[in-house]
Amino acid sequence: MTVTVLCIKTSFNIDDSQKIDYQEGKEYHAEILAEDLHVEDESGKMSLAGITAKEAVRLGIQEKENGYWDDWINKHFKIQQYD
């Protein structure tokens, strides 16, 4: 499913802290693939922005379904429009 997301909190690159991946106030093209949210970053590359907490539990990444992964997505993006 293709969506448009609004970045509500700037996110910096984990490999280069001076590089911005997602800029607060900008809209980005995104896709929901299964339990994953892929968002086109500032470089134009579609990157995994997060997975739902439910999927993180299934993968053994965390123990509860209302944890870090959902929190990170919700802290950084607001879904604007579904296509």
Side-chain angles (χ1 to χ4, degrees):
M1 174 183 298
T2 302
V3 298
T4 301
V5 296
L6 174 66
C7 178
I8 55 177
K9 181 178 179 183
T10 297
S11 175
F12 293 89
N13 188 282
I14 59 173
D15 295 322
D16 179 358
S17 63
Q18 301 300 310
K19 180 182 172 196
I20 294 175
D21 282 337
Y22 307 105
Q23 179 70 47
E24 181 178 346
K26 286 187 73 174
E27 287 188 345
Y28 294 92
H29 172 75
E31 292 181 354
I32 298 173
L33 304 170
E35 299 287 340
D36 300 336
L37 175 66
H38 295 258
V39 180
E40 185 174 17
D41 63 21
E42 284 293 309
S43 70
K45 176 182 171 191
M46 289 296 281
S47 299
L48 177 64
I51 60 176
T52 65
K54 181 177 180 180
E55 183 67 359
V57 169
R58 188 185 74 76
L59 295 171
I61 296 171
Q62 67 186 30
E63 293 181 13
K64 57 185 180 170
E65 291 188 2
N66 59 344
Y68 173 76
W69 290 100
D70 278 348
D71 293 343
W72 192 93
I73 294 168
N74 293 330
K75 187 185 295 183
H76 288 82
F77 300 105
K78 179 180 177 186
I79 294 178
Q80 296 290 92
Q81 174 182 349
Y82 289 94
D83 293 333

